[in-house]
Amino acid sequence: MEGFNSKVMDVIGNVTEKAVGNEGFAVVGQRGGVESVYVLAQCWRTMGEKGCRDCLEVAGKNLRGCLPGKQGRAMLAGCYMRYSTEKFFDVQEDELNGNGEPHFHIVFLSHGSLIFILVSCIFSWTMGGFTVLAVMVAGMVLSVLSLFGFTKAYQRLQKKTAMTSAPVGTSKSQHKNRLNFKYEMLEKATDFFNASRKLGQGGAGSVFKGTLPDGSNIAVKRLFFNTRQWADNFFTEVNLISGIQHKNLVRLLGCSIEGPESLLVYEYVPNKSLDKIIFGCSEQVLSWQQRFDIICGIAEGLVYLHDSCSEKIIHRDIKSSNILLDEDLTPKIADFGLAGCVDPDKSHHSTGIAGTLGYMAPEYLVRGQLTDKADVYAFGVLVLEIVCGRKNHVFMEGSSSILNSVYQNYRANTNTKSVDAILKSEYPEREASNVLQIGLLCTQASLALRPSMSEVVQMLTDKECSIPSPK
């Protein structure tokens, strides 16, 4: 066991050095001995050598916890590393040299290689083995290869420069902040992510309060892992979302993707999240009118995302902890870390599963089919939580879930039994009953039966609008 552990750590150290010197990517295989070991390491293309090394060293240390397991993975905001006793990368066995390290086929030829090949051709010609034509052909081939290598290198450099220096530039936002915040500045703004500045923590990362040099407050989300896989896609989506402004959406100011971890920068909302007030130990009790206004505000925010943006945006993680409240208890939908942008002409969008159990629509959870109706389902669950005053995964005696208990009361025409008991009788029964019915409509198993968010807003605000019966 000790021999195997030592071998794995040696190969991890080896692949780290190679990746840092090879534009952030390397694979190393070491066969024989106690056990064969294969390791892959990769950094974001926007990271410099120091950032790549620092990140891979942390990944290597984290992989110690996987030993003596036969495989392990470490995914950080800026890099990814994996080891296994089975070869998992696409390098043929005959490409591994005697030291167990793969040969890389690189298109860029060094000056020494070019001179060596050219001299070899000339030498062969002088010995009578080639004609002048052979030398000319060899020279042409080398020229083409050199030009191709230079072109590819220049394109890569141009793309990287554009990635790291592009301004916010969104005509909608009209603000002067830059998307690419400096990592060092955000470190200082949060007092190096001091625990005293921590505002909360979710599935994707921890949020810290920060203060910029001009005195303005921000919220900095420190991501646990790379939810975008590639920096260019991440940057593009942040660029799109940063231009969105609505009174019921937390404004995304930008991000940092050049440091050892990825950070999202949001506007600072001073009040608590909805879950802390409804389910937490807060002494504050929301009245019916406050709950109703919060439900309407969330619905309007989702209508904006689904129907009023240049591209349909599906949030994918609507839940009580992602609803922030300002000083006036106006709800603001937060955490666009899982947001997906969908072409308006596309009826659905298949993707990897991401979200929170209990709020995820059946078709998305089972088949990975993502539409705006997935947000409608999560909204419906949230509505029932707000009205009933209990979490969807907390079971009560005699009922399987909040959805089931509310539906049973609906069928028995006893909707008011589902309303939070802390409100006593201080609420309009008909309005509360209608809101519960809308929540059930939104959580129907068939996405075709769920209303759109614009229809939901109409049902909530138009007293004369008829509300269909949930199936």
Side-chain angles (χ1 to χ4, degrees):
M1 186 181 300
E2 290 181 2
F4 174 71
N5 292 354
S6 177
K7 183 176 183 179
V8 171
M9 296 312 299
D10 286 344
V11 180
I12 285 176
N14 193 357
V15 79
T16 297
E17 292 298 323
K18 286 188 171 295
V20 170
N22 190 52
E23 297 185 328
F25 177 80
V27 290
V28 171
Q30 194 172 101
R31 297 175 299 188
V34 180
E35 184 80 76
S36 296
V37 176
Y38 301 89
V39 184
L40 176 148
Q42 185 166 14
C43 295
W44 281 25
R45 287 174 294 173
T46 55
M47 299 185 71
E49 287 191 6
K50 183 180 184 304
C52 180
R53 181 185 298 277
D54 292 344
C55 190
L56 290 178
E57 286 178 354
V58 173
K61 291 178 182 178
N62 291 346
L63 285 178
R64 289 181 183 272
C66 299
L67 296 170
K70 290 192 173 184
Q71 64 174 321
R73 296 178 178 85
M75 178 178 284
L76 304 178
C79 64
Y80 173 75
M81 184 180 288
R82 177 185 176 186
Y83 82 84
S84 176
T85 56
E86 301 291 333
K87 186 166 71 72
F88 57 89
F89 43 73
D90 189 20
V91 176
Q92 301 300 320
E93 291 296 332
D94 58 0
E95 292 180 283
L96 294 171
N97 61 23
N99 297 323
E101 298 174 358
H103 295 289
F104 291 96
H105 303 288
I106 303 175
V107 70
F108 312 113
L109 298 176
S110 65
H111 294 299
S113 300
L114 292 171
I115 294 172
F116 174 78
I117 295 173
L118 188 57
V119 170
S120 297
C121 291
I122 295 173
F123 178 78
S124 299
W125 168 62
T126 58
M127 295 299 292
F130 279 96
T131 64
V132 175
L133 179 62
V135 178
M136 294 175 63
V137 170
M140 291 174 63
V141 171
L142 293 175
S143 299
V144 170
L145 286 176
S146 300
L147 180 61
F148 177 76
F150 174 79
T151 302
K152 296 296 289 184
Y154 178 77
Q155 289 175 346
R156 184 177 300 178
L157 178 62
Q158 288 290 92
K159 184 175 181 180
K160 184 172 181 179
T161 302
M163 285 275 298
T164 56
S165 62
V168 174
T170 52
S171 57
K172 294 181 181 179
S173 59
Q174 298 298 325
H175 55 76
K176 297 181 180 180
N177 294 318
R178 297 181 65 83
L179 271 179
N180 51 330
F181 283 82
K182 292 293 184 182
Y183 182 85
E184 295 77 8
M185 183 181 72
L186 296 179
E187 264 191 327
K188 293 178 181 178
T190 58
D191 194 15
F192 296 90
F193 303 104
N194 194 301
S196 64
R197 286 180 168 265
K198 190 172 181 179
L199 300 174
Q201 181 170 309
S206 301
V207 182
F208 296 81
K209 179 181 178 180
T211 304
L212 295 177
D214 63 2
S216 59
N217 291 325
I218 55 173
V220 181
K221 184 155 196 175
R222 194 181 192 184
L223 298 179
F224 291 146
F225 52 87
N226 173 19
T227 60
R228 281 291 168 269
Q229 301 297 322
W230 302 104
D232 49 357
N233 292 340
F234 180 88
F235 195 85
T236 299
E237 294 201 15
V238 171
N239 190 28
L240 171 67
I241 297 170
S242 67
I244 295 174
Q245 292 191 57
H246 188 274
K247 64 183 178 68
N248 297 118
L249 299 174
V250 173
R251 185 176 165 196
L252 179 64
L253 303 178
C255 65
S256 169
I257 58 176
E258 297 179 3
E261 56 191 342
S262 289
L263 307 174
L264 293 172
V265 183
Y266 294 94
E267 69 168 305
Y268 175 68
V269 181
N271 223 328
K272 299 177 181 178
S273 57
L274 181 60
D275 65 318
K276 289 188 172 71
I277 294 180
I278 295 183
F279 310 128
C281 301
S282 174
E283 297 180 357
Q284 184 177 8
V285 176
L286 296 177
S287 66
W288 169 258
Q289 189 60 49
Q290 289 171 330
R291 298 182 194 219
F292 182 77
D293 291 342
I294 289 171
I295 290 171
C296 291
I298 299 169
E300 290 172 3
L302 286 174
V303 169
Y304 183 86
L305 288 179
H306 293 176
D307 301 331
S308 301
C309 298
S310 58
E311 294 185 58
K312 183 188 293 289
I313 296 179
I314 301 173
H315 187 283
R316 281 206 286 177
D317 201 22
I318 295 295
K319 58 183 178 180
S320 56
S321 60
N322 280 340
I323 307 299
L324 304 183
L325 303 174
D326 66 11
E327 298 90 339
D328 301 320
L329 295 181
T330 300
K332 289 180 176 287
I333 301 173
D335 199 348
F336 289 87
L338 296 177
C341 305
V342 181
D343 190 309
D345 297 329
K346 294 182 180 178
S347 59
H348 71 277
H349 174 80
S350 296
T351 181
I353 299 299
T356 303
L357 289 175
Y359 297 89
M360 298 167 72
E363 74 280 357
Y364 180 47
L365 185 62
V366 175
R367 299 191 300 274
Q369 183 182 1
L370 178 63
T371 69
D372 54 357
K373 294 298 181 73
D375 279 351
V376 174
Y377 183 92
F379 171 79
V381 175
L382 181 56
V383 166
L384 300 183
E385 288 184 325
I386 294 172
V387 176
C388 300
R390 67 184 179 98
K391 297 180 181 179
N392 71 78
H393 60 268
V394 174
F395 298 92
M396 297 179 66
E397 186 177 353
S399 67
S400 56
S401 68
I402 186 174
L403 272 68
N404 189 48
S405 62
V406 172
Y407 185 66
Q408 294 304 322
N409 282 329
Y410 169 77
R411 293 188 62 184
N413 201 26
T414 56
N415 269 350
T416 54
K417 286 187 177 180
S418 299
V419 179
D420 192 349
I422 200 170
L423 293 176
K424 299 179 181 179
S425 299
E426 299 175 0
Y427 59 89
E429 291 188 6
R430 182 179 177 183
E431 188 173 67
S433 179
N434 288 343
V435 173
L436 287 169
Q437 188 171 334
I438 293 171
L440 290 174
L441 279 174
C442 293
T443 56
Q444 293 180 105
S446 171
L447 64 86
L449 295 177
R450 295 175 213 147
S452 66
M453 286 310 304
S454 58
E455 291 172 330
V456 168
V457 170
Q458 185 178 6
M459 287 186 283
L460 286 169
T461 57
D462 186 353
K463 304 299 181 183
E464 303 301 322
C465 182
S466 61
I467 303 175
S469 299
K471 306 297 183 184

